[in-house]
Amino acid sequence: MSAIMLSLPGRADLRSWTWPLLLLLLLSTPRPASAKPDSLKEVTDGDWEKIMTGEWMIEFYAPWCPACQQLQPVWQEFADWGDDMGVNIAKVDVTEQPGLSGRFIITSLPTIYHCKDGVFRKYQGARTKDDFLSFVDEQKWKSMEPVSSWFGPSSFLMNSMSALFKLSMFIRRCHNYMTEQLGIPVWGSYVIFGLVTLFAGLTLGLLLVFIADYVFPSRRFSSHDYYQRKQAMEQQRLIQNQDEDQEADGEEDDDDDEDDDHDGVWRNRRGSPEGRPEPRVQGYSDEALRKRAVGSREEDDEEDS
């Protein structure tokens, strides 16, 4: 009993020391450091409009480009200074974002643009970290000519270019899928695209014609008396054709009569096969026939003599 009583104060002292030790361990345990956000941002076709506000430096690159690969470490170091300078440093992979490639008319890689509140300027200086920092810090971009509003990324022309680049990339992917996955020969893929293009062109042409006829109808078809005038013109044309046919028939009859007259005269001149004059033909006078008979008699008398 006495042993138990002696052990109780020891246990109480142990408990009094346990809680401070546990608290000290919790405070001294290092907390996991929060991951530092990536200072280099990425811009895509879906969120490119965010660069229209604030100040941005944007690099357009391709993974297969050697010059782009050399620039990547420098661009990453420059991006680490972006937060301190209040500038957003971004990159765009043109192989994955063909719409942005067409929107900014990227003809060489890498291409760097500076953007300040929606006004774009193409960077033409040296490509080192110090040059990038001085370009932004000293505001050298103010001495550069901005991109015209006609060729700005938000203009109608550049929106059309973006759609065209997206369509070309889609066609390329379809071609690769048909030739690599489906095993269709290359010429077969070209034939398919040619037929699709032809059908799409015909469909679009018919659609445009229908829209034009609906929006801008012809005045002659919209008038109330159009069909009446059309019917009257057809009747007049029919009557004119009939008159021309009758005139042609009359001329043919006259030609036939003239031919008959010439044949009659020729027969009267030659006489009948038996040497006798042919009967009187309608159209000759009696005096002419009498003269011809007297002439033939005189010829017979001369022969007899």
Side-chain angles (χ1 to χ4, degrees), residues 175 178-179 183-195:
H175 173 73
M178 287 189 294
T179 54
I184 298 176
V186 176
W187 63 267
S189 176
Y190 291 158
V191 170
I192 293 174
F193 281 117
L195 294 176

Side-chain angles (χ1 to χ4, degrees), residues 144-180:
M144 300 176 60
E145 186 71 20
V147 177
S148 173
S149 59
W150 287 96
F151 298 98
S154 59
S155 64
F156 173 77
L157 179 61
M158 293 300 101
N159 284 325
S160 303
M161 289 293 295
S162 176
L164 181 62
F165 272 65
K166 289 180 181 179
L167 178 61
S168 64
M169 183 59 66
F170 174 76
I171 294 175
R172 180 179 180 182
R173 289 174 180 174
C174 292
H175 173 73
N176 293 335
Y177 176 78
M178 287 189 294
T179 54
E180 296 176 2

Side-chain angles (χ1 to χ4, degrees), residues 75-210:
W75 195 253
Q76 183 64 53
E77 294 178 3
F78 174 55
D80 295 337
W81 287 79
D83 293 337
D84 298 334
M85 303 181 66
V87 180
N88 299 292
I89 313 300
K91 62 180 180 179
V92 177
D93 185 356
V94 295
T95 60
E96 297 294 334
Q97 311 299 330
L100 291 179
S101 177
R103 192 179 296 275
F104 287 87
I105 315 180
I106 304 302
T107 58
S108 62
L109 296 173
T111 298
I112 300 174
Y113 272 94
H114 174 270
C115 177
K116 177 66 174 179
D117 296 331
V119 180
F120 291 84
R121 294 173 173 86
K122 191 173 182 179
Y123 179 79
Q124 302 288 353
R127 297 175 180 179
T128 63
K129 184 186 71 173
D130 295 335
D131 291 317
F132 292 147
L133 292 174
S134 63
F135 179 80
V136 176
D137 186 41
E138 299 175 9
Q139 297 183 354
K140 294 181 179 180
W141 48 267
K142 289 185 177 180
S143 61
M144 300 176 60
E145 186 71 20
V147 177
S148 173
S149 59
W150 287 96
F151 298 98
S154 59
S155 64
F156 173 77
L157 179 61
M158 293 300 101
N159 284 325
S160 303
M161 289 293 295
S162 176
L164 181 62
F165 272 65
K166 289 180 181 179
L167 178 61
S168 64
M169 183 59 66
F170 174 76
I171 294 175
R172 180 179 180 182
R173 289 174 180 174
C174 292
H175 173 73
N176 293 335
Y177 176 78
M178 287 189 294
T179 54
E180 296 176 2
Q181 301 296 330
L182 301 181
I184 298 176
V186 176
W187 63 267
S189 176
Y190 291 158
V191 170
I192 293 174
F193 281 117
L195 294 176
V196 171
T197 303
L198 180 61
F199 179 77
L202 292 175
T203 304
L204 182 60
L206 291 175
L207 181 62
L208 292 177
V209 169
F210 292 151

Side-chain angles (χ1 to χ4, degrees), residues 20-58:
L21 289 173
L22 292 175
L23 182 61
L24 182 61
L25 290 173
L26 290 175
L27 293 175
S28 61
T29 303
R31 296 181 180 179
S34 58
K36 183 181 179 180
D38 190 5
S39 56
L40 185 58
K41 302 176 177 60
E42 291 189 7
V43 181
T44 63
D45 286 323
D47 60 358
W48 73 271
E49 293 182 351
K50 65 184 180 182
I51 67 177
M52 301 296 290
T53 57
E55 188 173 2
W56 293 74
M57 288 286 287
I58 310 164

